Amino acid sequence: MREFVPSAQLMLGTRYLVLVLIAVIFIFPLLFMAMSSLKPNLQLLTDTESMRAFLPVGELSFDNYKAAFSRAPILTFVFNSLFVTATTVILTLLVCSLTAFSFVFLQWRGREIAFSMIIATMIVPFETIAIPLLLMVSKLPWLGAEGFELGWLNTYRVQIIPWIADGLTVFLFVQYFKGLPHEFIEASRVEGASWWQIYRRVVMPLCGPVIATAAILKFLVMYNQYLWPLIVVQQETYRPVMVGLQYFFQYNTAWGEVMAYLTMITLPVLAFYLFLQKAFIASIASTGVKG
Amino acid sequence: MASVSLKNVQKNFGDTLVIKGVDIEIEHGEFVVFVGPSGCGKSTLLRMIAGLEDISAGDLSIGEKVVNALPPKERGVSMVFQSYAIFPHMTVRENVAFGLTIAKVPDAEKNAKVQNAARILQMEHLLDRRPNQLSGGQRQRVAIGRAIVREPAVFLFDEPLSNLDAALRMDMRMEIANLHKQLDATMIYVTHDQVEAMTLADKIVVLRDGEVMQAGAPMDLYLEPDNQFVAGFLGSPAMNFIQVNVSELDATHAMVIGPGLAPTRVPHRGRAHTAGQSMTFGLRPQHMWPAEDGKLAGVVGISERLGSETVVNFRLQDDSSLIASLGTDQIFTPGQTVAFDFDPETAHLFADLK
Ligand SMILES: Nc1ncnc2c1ncn2[C@@H]1O[C@H](COP(=O)(O)OP(=O)(O)OP(=O)(O)O)[C@@H](O)[C@H]1O
Ligand SMILES: [Mg+2]
């Protein structure tokens, strides 16, 4: 008897099969959502009993989308969410990477303690600080276009500013910075670069992978905000997408419209993810050094 | 003018003193090599000169000015790191120009300087590549290029060639020597390779455990080592050492005797003080030859025939092992008894090493 040796082709085939299976498992809910959004309510419910739920069959139309638009100011919600998310992601990356930079590269008294305190904030669930935070933001001053005002409720800033400082992002950057060769920083210093120049010209350009990771994580957190905006935003003008979902469960629940709404608000996430994936690979390709 | 002077410089990391009061005077334009075994503080000393490490005590001056408190960029030095530390996200051109870009040098002048550095280092054709498209030796050139464009008064090299293979190391060694001739700059070079030290240096500083063991011209150190450590560190194969006793002495010479060493009158250079004193006797492998009535008698261990020379290892009565390096091809058989002779004037006497 000859021993059974799997050929390289067979191995590759098995690997693809497993990957396809995993992909299918992940894609089914999305498929269900997208397909259902095209179906009338009645068919949608009966289709769930079979594989038809995942197939574009039966009576298909964009009626659910039209109805969804008339039920809620979707564009406003999407804009609000994207604006809040984008601003927060950018500010978080900036502030937290600078914080991490000072922890890793600058020598100052008490930085170990400060760092462990920042790390400790990661284990506090948001729910426990939501109410104290609400009391705080409701009384905070702000210097706006109309002069001095008190209270941050019903604004964009109340959805952005409390989320900028972020223990997880600081942690990710600290870990990454620690892995950068120390000689890069030392060489820059000898060459005459200031700390700011080292940050901007040497360290950050090498941070593609961690920027992409931190951005995706923060994007998801911010785009999925629900509890906080529910508490601090009562006006439709500043409402984000997740809170907007409520509009579809008031009076009568139309599942077709829910699915249409969900499909629309999922698109920006997918787009952002694909964009970053490309940037991520490009940054690894350009900064990779062998040896 | 960029002389560099260290006066009783010390460095401690926490409670451990790693540089224990070092005095070194380096003149403008000198090529100084710091050598010593791993962990003796060469890199630390260099980094203190660069300003990357604080100075715990003592004074460091560059060009007559005490620079202890100045940050690296104000010291007028540039440094080449063992790992090259060239930036992977920049092209070779951007890497070389980095210091000039930071200093906001106008583009025309910057380009001219980069071009000139590239010409000196023969890497004009590499300027638009990225570091990951370069070989180790080419990366080393980029690192040196980045150091020379700013025309600093003092160059610091921390084992710049240790990641290169032997042939390339020899080429780069010559290029660095040439560079020094062309640039009229002070260079401080760290290595633990004694060949690099001997060939490049105007002055060698031998360090051990954070202390200067001896400083001077390479041949002075080779011919007149102050102590057993320096004697054993320079030269290859290393100098032989055996324990001997002084039987009588005058102003310049001492009569010594040891197991396997017949009584011999050797110069003591002021290091022998009393009869009966125990000392270390040193003799370079190249200074011995086989002779019937040689003063050193022993039994052959292994011998290596290298064609142009023969390196033979033999043991004395007390089992101490010596090496002789002979300039001709000779055959020895293991176990054979041999005797080697030498000119007593080429021998050294040292106080016993602590
Ligand atoms: N940041 C540091 N903290 C504590 N000890 C240090 C630090 N840097 C160096 N040392 C210690 O100082 C001593 C000298 O180190 P240094 O790097 O200068 O040695 P070296 O002569 O360059 O050795 P090598 O040839 O291996 O590079 C070593 O014992 C090392 O452990
Ligand atoms: Mg070192």
PDB file of all heavy atoms in Angstrom, chain B residues 153-182:
ATOM      1  N   ALA B 153      31.087  68.552  12.054  1.00  0.00           N
ATOM      2  CA  ALA B 153      32.491  68.610  12.451  1.00  0.00           C
ATOM      3  C   ALA B 153      32.944  67.270  13.028  1.00  0.00           C
ATOM      4  O   ALA B 153      34.112  66.944  13.005  1.00  0.00           O
ATOM      5  CB  ALA B 153      32.685  69.721  13.470  1.00  0.00           C
ATOM      6  N   VAL B 154      31.988  66.518  13.578  1.00  0.00           N
ATOM      7  CA  VAL B 154      32.344  65.250  14.206  1.00  0.00           C
ATOM      8  C   VAL B 154      31.432  64.138  13.690  1.00  0.00           C
ATOM      9  O   VAL B 154      30.213  64.291  13.673  1.00  0.00           O
ATOM     10  CB  VAL B 154      32.204  65.335  15.744  1.00  0.00           C
ATOM     11  CG1 VAL B 154      32.578  64.007  16.375  1.00  0.00           C
ATOM     12  CG2 VAL B 154      33.053  66.453  16.308  1.00  0.00           C
ATOM     13  N   PHE B 155      32.045  63.048  13.248  1.00  0.00           N
ATOM     14  CA  PHE B 155      31.285  61.876  12.820  1.00  0.00           C
ATOM     15  C   PHE B 155      31.372  60.802  13.886  1.00  0.00           C
ATOM     16  O   PHE B 155      32.455  60.526  14.399  1.00  0.00           O
ATOM     17  CB  PHE B 155      31.887  61.271  11.550  1.00  0.00           C
ATOM     18  CG  PHE B 155      31.563  62.023  10.317  1.00  0.00           C
ATOM     19  CD1 PHE B 155      32.425  62.992   9.847  1.00  0.00           C
ATOM     20  CD2 PHE B 155      30.393  61.753   9.624  1.00  0.00           C
ATOM     21  CE1 PHE B 155      32.129  63.680   8.693  1.00  0.00           C
ATOM     22  CE2 PHE B 155      30.103  62.438   8.475  1.00  0.00           C
ATOM     23  CZ  PHE B 155      30.965  63.408   8.010  1.00  0.00           C
ATOM     24  N   LEU B 156      30.251  60.181  14.169  1.00  0.00           N
ATOM     25  CA  LEU B 156      30.255  59.079  15.119  1.00  0.00           C
ATOM     26  C   LEU B 156      29.782  57.828  14.389  1.00  0.00           C
ATOM     27  O   LEU B 156      28.772  57.848  13.697  1.00  0.00           O
ATOM     28  CB  LEU B 156      29.303  59.389  16.284  1.00  0.00           C
ATOM     29  CG  LEU B 156      29.533  60.736  16.973  1.00  0.00           C
ATOM     30  CD1 LEU B 156      28.446  61.005  18.000  1.00  0.00           C
ATOM     31  CD2 LEU B 156      30.900  60.769  17.628  1.00  0.00           C
ATOM     32  N   PHE B 157      30.536  56.757  14.525  1.00  0.00           N
ATOM     33  CA  PHE B 157      30.152  55.487  13.893  1.00  0.00           C
ATOM     34  C   PHE B 157      30.023  54.427  14.977  1.00  0.00           C
ATOM     35  O   PHE B 157      30.972  54.200  15.726  1.00  0.00           O
ATOM     36  CB  PHE B 157      31.241  55.007  12.931  1.00  0.00           C
ATOM     37  CG  PHE B 157      31.463  55.884  11.735  1.00  0.00           C
ATOM     38  CD1 PHE B 157      32.376  56.923  11.773  1.00  0.00           C
ATOM     39  CD2 PHE B 157      30.778  55.635  10.546  1.00  0.00           C
ATOM     40  CE1 PHE B 157      32.602  57.712  10.655  1.00  0.00           C
ATOM     41  CE2 PHE B 157      31.003  56.422   9.435  1.00  0.00           C
ATOM     42  CZ  PHE B 157      31.910  57.461   9.491  1.00  0.00           C
ATOM     43  N   ASP B 158      28.892  53.770  15.055  1.00  0.00           N
ATOM     44  CA  ASP B 158      28.759  52.681  16.022  1.00  0.00           C
ATOM     45  C   ASP B 158      28.734  51.348  15.284  1.00  0.00           C
ATOM     46  O   ASP B 158      27.722  50.967  14.710  1.00  0.00           O
ATOM     47  CB  ASP B 158      27.494  52.847  16.865  1.00  0.00           C
ATOM     48  CG  ASP B 158      27.492  51.890  18.056  1.00  0.00           C
ATOM     49  OD1 ASP B 158      28.400  51.046  18.144  1.00  0.00           O
ATOM     50  OD2 ASP B 158      26.584  52.001  18.892  1.00  0.00           O
ATOM     51  N   GLU B 159      29.831  50.659  15.279  1.00  0.00           N
ATOM     52  CA  GLU B 159      29.975  49.369  14.602  1.00  0.00           C
ATOM     53  C   GLU B 159      29.282  49.356  13.245  1.00  0.00           C
ATOM     54  O   GLU B 159      28.406  48.537  12.993  1.00  0.00           O
ATOM     55  CB  GLU B 159      29.398  48.252  15.472  1.00  0.00           C
ATOM     56  CG  GLU B 159      30.045  48.241  16.846  1.00  0.00           C
ATOM     57  CD  GLU B 159      29.939  46.898  17.531  1.00  0.00           C
ATOM     58  OE1 GLU B 159      29.858  45.889  16.825  1.00  0.00           O
ATOM     59  OE2 GLU B 159      29.965  46.877  18.772  1.00  0.00           O
ATOM     60  N   PRO B 160      29.664  50.268  12.361  1.00  0.00           N
ATOM     61  CA  PRO B 160      28.916  50.409  11.118  1.00  0.00           C
ATOM     62  C   PRO B 160      29.065  49.212  10.184  1.00  0.00           C
ATOM     63  O   PRO B 160      28.238  49.028   9.310  1.00  0.00           O
ATOM     64  CB  PRO B 160      29.505  51.664  10.485  1.00  0.00           C
ATOM     65  CG  PRO B 160      30.880  51.740  11.030  1.00  0.00           C
ATOM     66  CD  PRO B 160      30.796  51.202  12.417  1.00  0.00           C
ATOM     67  N   LEU B 161      30.079  48.413  10.359  1.00  0.00           N
ATOM     68  CA  LEU B 161      30.325  47.358   9.374  1.00  0.00           C
ATOM     69  C   LEU B 161      29.982  45.971   9.887  1.00  0.00           C
ATOM     70  O   LEU B 161      30.156  44.983   9.185  1.00  0.00           O
ATOM     71  CB  LEU B 161      31.803  47.376   8.949  1.00  0.00           C
ATOM     72  CG  LEU B 161      32.326  48.732   8.471  1.00  0.00           C
ATOM     73  CD1 LEU B 161      33.752  48.586   7.969  1.00  0.00           C
ATOM     74  CD2 LEU B 161      31.436  49.311   7.394  1.00  0.00           C
ATOM     75  N   SER B 162      29.471  45.902  11.120  1.00  0.00           N
ATOM     76  CA  SER B 162      29.347  44.575  11.715  1.00  0.00           C
ATOM     77  C   SER B 162      28.266  43.717  11.061  1.00  0.00           C
ATOM     78  O   SER B 162      28.262  42.513  11.250  1.00  0.00           O
ATOM     79  CB  SER B 162      29.091  44.684  13.209  1.00  0.00           C
ATOM     80  OG  SER B 162      27.924  45.416  13.426  1.00  0.00           O
ATOM     81  N   ASN B 163      27.375  44.341  10.294  1.00  0.00           N
ATOM     82  CA  ASN B 163      26.353  43.523   9.629  1.00  0.00           C
ATOM     83  C   ASN B 163      26.727  43.121   8.206  1.00  0.00           C
ATOM     84  O   ASN B 163      25.896  42.605   7.468  1.00  0.00           O
ATOM     85  CB  ASN B 163      25.014  44.260   9.590  1.00  0.00           C
ATOM     86  CG  ASN B 163      24.385  44.341  10.971  1.00  0.00           C
ATOM     87  OD1 ASN B 163      24.695  43.531  11.826  1.00  0.00           O
ATOM     88  ND2 ASN B 163      23.529  45.318  11.170  1.00  0.00           N
ATOM     89  N   LEU B 164      27.955  43.425   7.813  1.00  0.00           N
ATOM     90  CA  LEU B 164      28.351  43.128   6.431  1.00  0.00           C
ATOM     91  C   LEU B 164      29.235  41.889   6.379  1.00  0.00           C
ATOM     92  O   LEU B 164      29.880  41.530   7.363  1.00  0.00           O
ATOM     93  CB  LEU B 164      29.114  44.318   5.856  1.00  0.00           C
ATOM     94  CG  LEU B 164      28.366  45.652   5.907  1.00  0.00           C
ATOM     95  CD1 LEU B 164      29.234  46.754   5.334  1.00  0.00           C
ATOM     96  CD2 LEU B 164      27.044  45.566   5.166  1.00  0.00           C
ATOM     97  N   ASP B 165      29.280  41.254   5.217  1.00  0.00           N
ATOM     98  CA  ASP B 165      30.147  40.081   5.131  1.00  0.00           C
ATOM     99  C   ASP B 165      31.609  40.518   4.988  1.00  0.00           C
ATOM    100  O   ASP B 165      31.906  41.687   4.750  1.00  0.00           O
ATOM    101  CB  ASP B 165      29.711  39.142   4.009  1.00  0.00           C
ATOM    102  CG  ASP B 165      29.862  39.769   2.648  1.00  0.00           C
ATOM    103  OD1 ASP B 165      30.881  40.442   2.414  1.00  0.00           O
ATOM    104  OD2 ASP B 165      28.957  39.596   1.818  1.00  0.00           O
ATOM    105  N   ALA B 166      32.505  39.572   5.164  1.00  0.00           N
ATOM    106  CA  ALA B 166      33.919  39.909   5.326  1.00  0.00           C
ATOM    107  C   ALA B 166      34.483  40.726   4.162  1.00  0.00           C
ATOM    108  O   ALA B 166      35.172  41.724   4.371  1.00  0.00           O
ATOM    109  CB  ALA B 166      34.730  38.635   5.526  1.00  0.00           C
ATOM    110  N   ALA B 167      34.145  40.322   2.921  1.00  0.00           N
ATOM    111  CA  ALA B 167      34.725  41.012   1.767  1.00  0.00           C
ATOM    112  C   ALA B 167      34.235  42.458   1.699  1.00  0.00           C
ATOM    113  O   ALA B 167      35.006  43.395   1.497  1.00  0.00           O
ATOM    114  CB  ALA B 167      34.344  40.273   0.486  1.00  0.00           C
ATOM    115  N   LEU B 168      32.924  42.621   1.901  1.00  0.00           N
ATOM    116  CA  LEU B 168      32.333  43.945   1.834  1.00  0.00           C
ATOM    117  C   LEU B 168      32.865  44.825   2.958  1.00  0.00           C
ATOM    118  O   LEU B 168      33.101  46.015   2.790  1.00  0.00           O
ATOM    119  CB  LEU B 168      30.818  43.800   1.956  1.00  0.00           C
ATOM    120  CG  LEU B 168      29.998  44.980   1.498  1.00  0.00           C
ATOM    121  CD1 LEU B 168      30.383  45.379   0.094  1.00  0.00           C
ATOM    122  CD2 LEU B 168      28.525  44.617   1.546  1.00  0.00           C
ATOM    123  N   ARG B 169      33.094  44.184   4.109  1.00  0.00           N
ATOM    124  CA  ARG B 169      33.596  44.937   5.245  1.00  0.00           C
ATOM    125  C   ARG B 169      34.946  45.554   4.911  1.00  0.00           C
ATOM    126  O   ARG B 169      35.242  46.677   5.252  1.00  0.00           O
ATOM    127  CB  ARG B 169      33.718  43.985   6.439  1.00  0.00           C
ATOM    128  CG  ARG B 169      33.662  44.710   7.728  1.00  0.00           C
ATOM    129  CD  ARG B 169      33.652  43.771   8.896  1.00  0.00           C
ATOM    130  NE  ARG B 169      32.859  42.576   8.662  1.00  0.00           N
ATOM    131  CZ  ARG B 169      32.824  41.569   9.512  1.00  0.00           C
ATOM    132  NH1 ARG B 169      33.518  41.618  10.619  1.00  0.00           N
ATOM    133  NH2 ARG B 169      32.092  40.502   9.258  1.00  0.00           N
ATOM    134  N   MET B 170      35.767  44.799   4.185  1.00  0.00           N
ATOM    135  CA  MET B 170      37.092  45.294   3.832  1.00  0.00           C
ATOM    136  C   MET B 170      36.954  46.481   2.875  1.00  0.00           C
ATOM    137  O   MET B 170      37.620  47.499   3.058  1.00  0.00           O
ATOM    138  CB  MET B 170      37.885  44.171   3.176  1.00  0.00           C
ATOM    139  CG  MET B 170      39.323  44.474   3.059  1.00  0.00           C
ATOM    140  SD  MET B 170      40.243  42.958   3.308  1.00  0.00           S
ATOM    141  CE  MET B 170      41.063  42.831   1.770  1.00  0.00           C
ATOM    142  N   ASP B 171      36.054  46.357   1.872  1.00  0.00           N
ATOM    143  CA  ASP B 171      35.838  47.475   0.943  1.00  0.00           C
ATOM    144  C   ASP B 171      35.391  48.716   1.686  1.00  0.00           C
ATOM    145  O   ASP B 171      35.914  49.813   1.488  1.00  0.00           O
ATOM    146  CB  ASP B 171      34.740  47.117  -0.073  1.00  0.00           C
ATOM    147  CG  ASP B 171      35.222  46.088  -1.061  1.00  0.00           C
ATOM    148  OD1 ASP B 171      36.441  45.832  -1.072  1.00  0.00           O
ATOM    149  OD2 ASP B 171      34.383  45.559  -1.810  1.00  0.00           O
ATOM    150  N   MET B 172      34.371  48.540   2.539  1.00  0.00           N
ATOM    151  CA  MET B 172      33.809  49.693   3.226  1.00  0.00           C
ATOM    152  C   MET B 172      34.829  50.316   4.170  1.00  0.00           C
ATOM    153  O   MET B 172      34.862  51.523   4.350  1.00  0.00           O
ATOM    154  CB  MET B 172      32.564  49.284   4.025  1.00  0.00           C
ATOM    155  CG  MET B 172      31.342  48.970   3.188  1.00  0.00           C
ATOM    156  SD  MET B 172      30.806  50.326   2.115  1.00  0.00           S
ATOM    157  CE  MET B 172      30.247  51.505   3.309  1.00  0.00           C
ATOM    158  N   ARG B 173      35.679  49.468   4.738  1.00  0.00           N
ATOM    159  CA  ARG B 173      36.711  49.976   5.639  1.00  0.00           C
ATOM    160  C   ARG B 173      37.613  50.937   4.876  1.00  0.00           C
ATOM    161  O   ARG B 173      37.929  52.022   5.346  1.00  0.00           O
ATOM    162  CB  ARG B 173      37.512  48.786   6.151  1.00  0.00           C
ATOM    163  CG  ARG B 173      38.284  49.041   7.385  1.00  0.00           C
ATOM    164  CD  ARG B 173      38.696  47.740   7.990  1.00  0.00           C
ATOM    165  NE  ARG B 173      39.754  47.098   7.222  1.00  0.00           N
ATOM    166  CZ  ARG B 173      39.932  45.787   7.159  1.00  0.00           C
ATOM    167  NH1 ARG B 173      39.114  44.983   7.807  1.00  0.00           N
ATOM    168  NH2 ARG B 173      40.899  45.295   6.445  1.00  0.00           N
ATOM    169  N   MET B 174      37.964  50.545   3.659  1.00  0.00           N
ATOM    170  CA  MET B 174      38.826  51.422   2.873  1.00  0.00           C
ATOM    171  C   MET B 174      38.080  52.685   2.488  1.00  0.00           C
ATOM    172  O   MET B 174      38.649  53.773   2.467  1.00  0.00           O
ATOM    173  CB  MET B 174      39.292  50.687   1.629  1.00  0.00           C
ATOM    174  CG  MET B 174      40.148  49.517   2.033  1.00  0.00           C
ATOM    175  SD  MET B 174      40.965  48.794   0.621  1.00  0.00           S
ATOM    176  CE  MET B 174      41.934  47.539   1.423  1.00  0.00           C
ATOM    177  N   GLU B 175      36.781  52.543   2.183  1.00  0.00           N
ATOM    178  CA  GLU B 175      36.027  53.741   1.818  1.00  0.00           C
ATOM    179  C   GLU B 175      35.935  54.714   2.979  1.00  0.00           C
ATOM    180  O   GLU B 175      36.005  55.927   2.799  1.00  0.00           O
ATOM    181  CB  GLU B 175      34.621  53.354   1.350  1.00  0.00           C
ATOM    182  CG  GLU B 175      34.661  52.765  -0.042  1.00  0.00           C
ATOM    183  CD  GLU B 175      33.283  52.646  -0.648  1.00  0.00           C
ATOM    184  OE1 GLU B 175      32.402  53.434  -0.264  1.00  0.00           O
ATOM    185  OE2 GLU B 175      33.094  51.758  -1.486  1.00  0.00           O
ATOM    186  N   ILE B 176      35.757  54.167   4.164  1.00  0.00           N
ATOM    187  CA  ILE B 176      35.676  55.056   5.322  1.00  0.00           C
ATOM    188  C   ILE B 176      37.015  55.748   5.544  1.00  0.00           C
ATOM    189  O   ILE B 176      37.074  56.944   5.833  1.00  0.00           O
ATOM    190  CB  ILE B 176      35.214  54.273   6.565  1.00  0.00           C
ATOM    191  CG1 ILE B 176      33.740  53.894   6.386  1.00  0.00           C
ATOM    192  CG2 ILE B 176      35.399  55.095   7.827  1.00  0.00           C
ATOM    193  CD1 ILE B 176      33.180  53.040   7.487  1.00  0.00           C
ATOM    194  N   ALA B 177      38.094  55.000   5.345  1.00  0.00           N
ATOM    195  CA  ALA B 177      39.419  55.616   5.476  1.00  0.00           C
ATOM    196  C   ALA B 177      39.587  56.738   4.450  1.00  0.00           C
ATOM    197  O   ALA B 177      40.072  57.832   4.769  1.00  0.00           O
ATOM    198  CB  ALA B 177      40.499  54.560   5.300  1.00  0.00           C
ATOM    199  N   ASN B 178      39.124  56.494   3.219  1.00  0.00           N
ATOM    200  CA  ASN B 178      39.199  57.520   2.180  1.00  0.00           C
ATOM    201  C   ASN B 178      38.371  58.730   2.530  1.00  0.00           C
ATOM    202  O   ASN B 178      38.777  59.878   2.329  1.00  0.00           O
ATOM    203  CB  ASN B 178      38.687  56.966   0.850  1.00  0.00           C
ATOM    204  CG  ASN B 178      39.794  56.257   0.119  1.00  0.00           C
ATOM    205  OD1 ASN B 178      40.959  56.599   0.303  1.00  0.00           O
ATOM    206  ND2 ASN B 178      39.437  55.269  -0.680  1.00  0.00           N
ATOM    207  N   LEU B 179      37.174  58.456   3.021  1.00  0.00           N
ATOM    208  CA  LEU B 179      36.254  59.514   3.402  1.00  0.00           C
ATOM    209  C   LEU B 179      36.921  60.428   4.420  1.00  0.00           C
ATOM    210  O   LEU B 179      36.837  61.649   4.345  1.00  0.00           O
ATOM    211  CB  LEU B 179      35.032  58.858   4.032  1.00  0.00           C
ATOM    212  CG  LEU B 179      33.719  59.582   3.937  1.00  0.00           C
ATOM    213  CD1 LEU B 179      33.354  59.795   2.488  1.00  0.00           C
ATOM    214  CD2 LEU B 179      32.653  58.763   4.638  1.00  0.00           C
ATOM    215  N   HIS B 180      37.591  59.816   5.367  1.00  0.00           N
ATOM    216  CA  HIS B 180      38.244  60.602   6.403  1.00  0.00           C
ATOM    217  C   HIS B 180      39.300  61.516   5.801  1.00  0.00           C
ATOM    218  O   HIS B 180      39.417  62.675   6.163  1.00  0.00           O
ATOM    219  CB  HIS B 180      38.874  59.670   7.441  1.00  0.00           C
ATOM    220  CG  HIS B 180      39.599  60.406   8.513  1.00  0.00           C
ATOM    221  ND1 HIS B 180      40.922  60.211   8.788  1.00  0.00           N
ATOM    222  CD2 HIS B 180      39.178  61.366   9.357  1.00  0.00           C
ATOM    223  CE1 HIS B 180      41.287  61.021   9.764  1.00  0.00           C
ATOM    224  NE2 HIS B 180      40.249  61.723  10.135  1.00  0.00           N
ATOM    225  N   LYS B 181      40.040  61.009   4.806  1.00  0.00           N
ATOM    226  CA  LYS B 181      41.052  61.838   4.145  1.00  0.00           C
ATOM    227  C   LYS B 181      40.395  63.009   3.436  1.00  0.00           C
ATOM    228  O   LYS B 181      40.868  64.125   3.462  1.00  0.00           O
ATOM    229  CB  LYS B 181      41.830  61.008   3.130  1.00  0.00           C
ATOM    230  CG  LYS B 181      42.787  60.038   3.784  1.00  0.00           C
ATOM    231  CD  LYS B 181      43.932  59.686   2.841  1.00  0.00           C
ATOM    232  CE  LYS B 181      44.665  58.452   3.314  1.00  0.00           C
ATOM    233  NZ  LYS B 181      43.964  57.205   2.925  1.00  0.00           N
ATOM    234  N   GLN B 182      39.242  62.737   2.761  1.00  0.00           N
ATOM    235  CA  GLN B 182      38.602  63.783   1.961  1.00  0.00           C
ATOM    236  C   GLN B 182      37.921  64.844   2.806  1.00  0.00           C
ATOM    237  O   GLN B 182      37.789  65.985   2.396  1.00  0.00           O
ATOM    238  CB  GLN B 182      37.526  63.165   1.053  1.00  0.00           C
ATOM    239  CG  GLN B 182      38.085  62.340  -0.085  1.00  0.00           C
ATOM    240  CD  GLN B 182      36.969  61.717  -0.888  1.00  0.00           C
ATOM    241  OE1 GLN B 182      35.955  62.342  -1.172  1.00  0.00           O
ATOM    242  NE2 GLN B 182      37.133  60.462  -1.251  1.00  0.00           N
TER     243      GLN B 182
END
